[in-house]
Amino acid sequence: KQEVTQIPAALSVPEGENLVLNCSFTDSAIYNLQWFRQDPGKGLTSLLLIQSSQREQTSGRLNASLDKSSGRSTLYIAASQPGDSATYLCAVYNNNDMRFGAGTRLTVKP
Amino acid sequence: DAGVIQSPRHEVTEMGQEVTLRCKPISGHDYLFWYRQTMMRGLELLIYFNNNVPIDDSGMPEDRFSAKMPNASFSTLKIQPSEPRDSAVYFCASSRAGSTGELFFGEGSRLTVL
């Protein structure tokens, strides 16, 4: 059974810092991995989708990488802003099942 | 596109009452998923449909839970009778292609059972 772990559970940084969020998974036979953002009381917003054949995806200040062999993905946020404060979740898809990590709660202080 | 639309956004009910949550997926998406989110258990997949047909309902916690998708633009999740431990945020999500497609979520329905 796929298990997805996100470290750290919470992170607080000053505005302008570059930061990395980590996601690890136990079964490397995945179809894709998706990073989401969730604001309090809101649904999940898709940030980046990495197919199993890809190594990374970029969108603006966000860059997500995927290393299937080691069961790891990272989400890099450049020049963080207070508006980036949210919970970030990764989800992996395999065997017709999508498993979510518990998320990393990010706070960017002005 | 309006995105995935869920209703109601908030529901407060008493134990034993029937609860019906509704979802309209993004037009053209052929997969629909129902998730439940709690602080203790995070996001859990309850059931998903492909072309209106339930494919995997192994995540449905009990027989009190049922889900239907009568057509490509509408799905319901019903809890009867409801219990306090059903209190959670229920999300609906849809995608165009199940294994490689991007997943889009609705805003969720926050259920409180007293």
Side-chain angles (χ1 to χ4, degrees), chain A residues 14-15 21 25 30 42 44 47 51 60 68 76 84 91 97 110:
Chain A
E15 182 177 4
L21 307 181
F25 45 95
I30 66 172
K42 299 290 187 179
L44 281 71
L47 297 174
Q51 303 291 354
K68 281 202 317 179
Y76 175 82
D84 295 331
D97 188 13

Side-chain angles (χ1 to χ4, degrees), chain B residues 63-82:
Chain B
D63 291 344
R64 298 184 295 106
F65 286 69
S66 63
K68 293 182 180 180
M69 192 165 185
N71 57 62
S73 60
F74 183 67
S75 176
T76 59
L77 178 67
K78 186 173 293 187
I79 308 172
Q80 167 63 21
S82 58

Side-chain angles (χ1 to χ4, degrees), chain A residues 51-106:
Chain A
Q51 303 291 354
S52 61
S53 59
Q54 298 174 323
R55 296 298 299 267
E56 67 176 341
Q57 283 286 333
T58 298
S59 176
R61 295 182 293 108
L62 305 180
N63 176 276
S65 67
L66 173 64
D67 184 343
K68 281 202 317 179
S69 61
S70 66
R72 292 186 174 188
S73 176
T74 61
L75 178 67
Y76 175 82
I77 303 177
S80 59
Q81 303 171 357
D84 295 331
S85 298
T87 296
Y88 291 80
L89 298 99
C90 72
V92 296
Y93 191 93
N94 61 342
N95 297 326
N96 290 322
D97 188 13
M98 179 167 268
R99 295 279 168 174
F100 283 79
T104 294
R105 189 172 68 253
L106 173 66

Side-chain angles (χ1 to χ4, degrees), chain B residues 26-46:
Chain B
I26 294 173
S27 177
H29 283 192
D30 46 9
Y31 282 82
L32 183 141
F33 304 80
W34 281 100
Y35 286 88
R36 177 171 68 176
Q37 186 178 40
T38 61
M39 288 293 292
M40 290 295 295
R41 301 174 68 92
L43 267 165
E44 302 173 279
L45 177 64
L46 301 177

Side-chain angles (χ1 to χ4, degrees), chain B residues 97-110:
Chain B
S99 62
T100 58
E102 191 172 1
L103 198 60
F104 293 87
F105 278 76
E107 291 288 291
S109 294
R110 181 176 295 276

